[in-house]
Amino acid sequence: MTKIFAYAIRDDEKPFLEEWKNAHKDIDVDYTEELLTPETAKLAKGADGVVVYQQLDYTPETLQALADAGVTKMSLRNVGVDNIDMDKAKELGFEITNVPVYSPDAIAEHAAIQAARILRQDKRMDEKMAKRDLRWAPTIGREVRDQVVGVIGTGHIGQVFMQIMEGFGAKVIAYDIFKNPELEKKGYYVDSLDDLYKQADVISLHVPDVPANVHMINDDSISKMKDDVVIINVSRGPLVDIDAVIRGLDSGKIFGYVMDTYEGEVGIFNEDWEGKEFPDKKLADLIDRPNVLVTPHTAFYTTHAVRNMVTKAFDNNLAMVEGKEPESPVKLDKD
């Protein structure tokens, strides 16, 4: 019987894993809540493939241990593959898949909701209400329809975000080195990032973490933005030089910051720090600011998205095990 073993299965994933098992009764499915490491790789012995999700690196040691257990077909339940040692994976003959699209709407909705909350100064008003301060001023909001919204990156998520912002009545402009022909026909694109910085009241990032994009939001780029700009990062932490954002917040240049991803998030996000010493002073400072909305990489975290992540990963893995072409294979060769 074909067997698939899954790592790091969370409680919220278990109902969807059971759905998949019930629909594939001829497949033996087993799992652990532990992450894939060189030590836990042996749990997959006897399996034909593994399904994984983790922020830890897939190191040469981890991949070797998995190969030693007889498994070289690995399906990620997430998008990112930058934490895989591709040279080692190729050397060992790994086949790898990911889930590049699980719910663009989940992430775009989160960005839009948080942006609107920043513009209406909801966090400040919530703090006033908690103290029974029911005065209006000076907590006056800005309407989304009065904003020029600049979208950097017009892939699946960026396009949904654009639609939502237009639904509010905002003017939307965009920049992408890979232009979408339909969006180009409709005149959304500006010629350069500097053009977008100059025009946008709200700037939302929807680009990958590649070397050219690291710290694209920095002192220089912020200086080119309009006063009272709102910046949104629900994509990848390294896109933003957080020290530059803090300086922009301190100076008043930045009206508000929406942050779902953080460059130093591994080992901090998705942990309970209540009653413990918090390990990151900058992050603590951002969380406490009335014009910053921090969420711990949960923009994707909806029932719709999690179901798709589990289902698509298991479908991919079964396809590989059966010698078929999976829906979303990962290229192991480095460009």
Side-chain angles (χ1 to χ4, degrees):
M1 177 182 278
T2 297
K3 180 177 180 180
I4 296 175
F5 189 83
Y7 285 91
I9 293 293
R10 307 183 305 267
D11 286 345
D12 57 87
E13 294 177 307
K14 289 176 183 177
F16 309 123
L17 184 150
E18 292 300 324
E19 280 182 11
W20 196 91
K21 284 175 64 176
N22 289 335
H24 300 80
K25 294 185 183 297
D26 56 333
I27 308 298
D28 181 11
V29 177
D30 197 5
Y31 66 87
T32 179
E33 296 179 0
E34 295 185 71
L35 296 170
L36 172 61
T37 66
E39 293 70 38
T40 61
K42 63 180 179 291
L43 297 175
K45 190 172 181 62
D48 298 286
V50 293
V51 172
V52 296
Y53 180 94
Q54 63 192 63
Q55 291 178 304
L56 294 178
D57 288 339
Y58 298 89
T59 64
E61 294 76 18
T62 297
L63 295 172
Q64 184 66 61
L66 198 57
D68 290 344
V71 181
T72 55
K73 292 176 172 59
M74 184 169 72
S75 295
L76 279 63
R77 303 196 295 278
N78 56 291
V79 180
V81 297
D82 52 309
N83 57 343
I84 302 173
D85 189 301
M86 290 300 186
D87 290 335
K88 189 66 175 180
K90 186 176 180 182
E91 174 192 324
L92 295 171
F94 266 81
E95 297 174 64
I96 300 173
T97 63
N98 66 347
V99 184
V101 180
Y102 39 85
S103 181
D105 299 65
I107 298 167
E109 281 182 9
H110 182 84
I113 290 166
Q114 296 292 75
R117 291 186 64 214
I118 284 285
L119 290 167
R120 294 304 294 260
Q121 300 205 66
D122 277 359
K123 190 173 179 182
R124 279 194 171 97
M125 186 58 75
D126 288 345
E127 290 173 354
K128 286 170 67 173
M129 293 292 289
K131 296 184 291 186
R132 304 301 186 265
D133 179 356
L134 307 189
R135 292 173 296 174
W136 303 349
T139 322
I140 191 168
R142 291 157 55 183
E143 295 183 34
V144 179
R145 64 175 175 167
D146 292 332
Q147 314 306 308
V148 175
V149 177
V151 180
I152 303 176
T154 55
H156 296 288
I157 298 167
Q159 288 182 51
V160 176
F161 180 75
M162 291 168 71
Q163 292 167 7
I164 296 171
M165 290 291 100
E166 286 193 318
F168 276 111
K171 177 183 177 181
V172 174
I173 59 175
Y175 178 81
D176 199 320
I177 58 172
F178 304 107
K179 291 184 172 66
N180 177 288
E182 290 303 313
L183 297 179
E184 190 169 20
K185 284 180 189 176
K186 294 176 181 178
Y188 284 105
Y189 290 112
V190 294
D191 293 331
S192 68
L193 279 174
D194 284 357
D195 287 339
L196 186 141
Y197 296 150
K198 183 179 179 180
Q199 297 179 47
D201 302 291
V202 176
I203 296 173
S204 193
L205 308 177
H206 300 283
V207 294
D209 174 16
V210 295
N213 292 338
V214 171
H215 287 189
M216 64 185 300
I217 302 301
N218 52 49
D219 287 310
D220 181 57
S221 59
I222 292 170
S223 71
K224 298 173 183 176
M225 296 176 190
K226 296 174 73 171
D227 291 343
D228 287 328
V229 67
V230 171
I231 301 174
I232 304 164
N233 184 17
V234 297
S235 293
R236 290 290 182 265
L239 303 179
V240 172
D241 178 349
I242 203 63
D243 291 320
V245 167
I246 289 172
R247 286 189 284 271
L249 290 164
D250 287 343
S251 71
K253 175 75 173 182
I254 298 174
F255 182 82
Y257 182 51
V258 172
M259 187 181 86
D260 185 61
T261 56
Y262 178 61
E263 191 165 16
E265 70 182 54
V266 176
I268 300 178
F269 281 6
N270 204 23
E271 298 287 344
D272 183 2
W273 297 99
E274 185 175 5
K276 304 174 187 175
E277 182 179 353
F278 197 74
D280 190 314
K281 291 181 179 178
K282 289 178 189 175
L283 180 56
D285 171 60
L286 289 164
I287 291 170
D288 289 340
R289 289 178 183 248
N291 59 340
V292 176
L293 294 175
V294 176
T295 46
H297 210 142
T298 54
F300 82 96
Y301 193 50
T302 66
T303 53
H304 187 110
V306 172
R307 174 184 278 113
N308 280 345
M309 294 167 84
V310 171
T311 301
K312 289 176 182 289
F314 273 90
D315 286 347
N316 271 329
N317 204 251
L318 181 58
M320 287 194 294
V321 168
E322 293 181 340
K324 301 174 183 176
E325 181 70 19
E327 182 179 324
S328 48
V330 171
K331 184 180 178 183
L332 302 190
D333 291 315
K334 295 180 179 179
D335 293 328

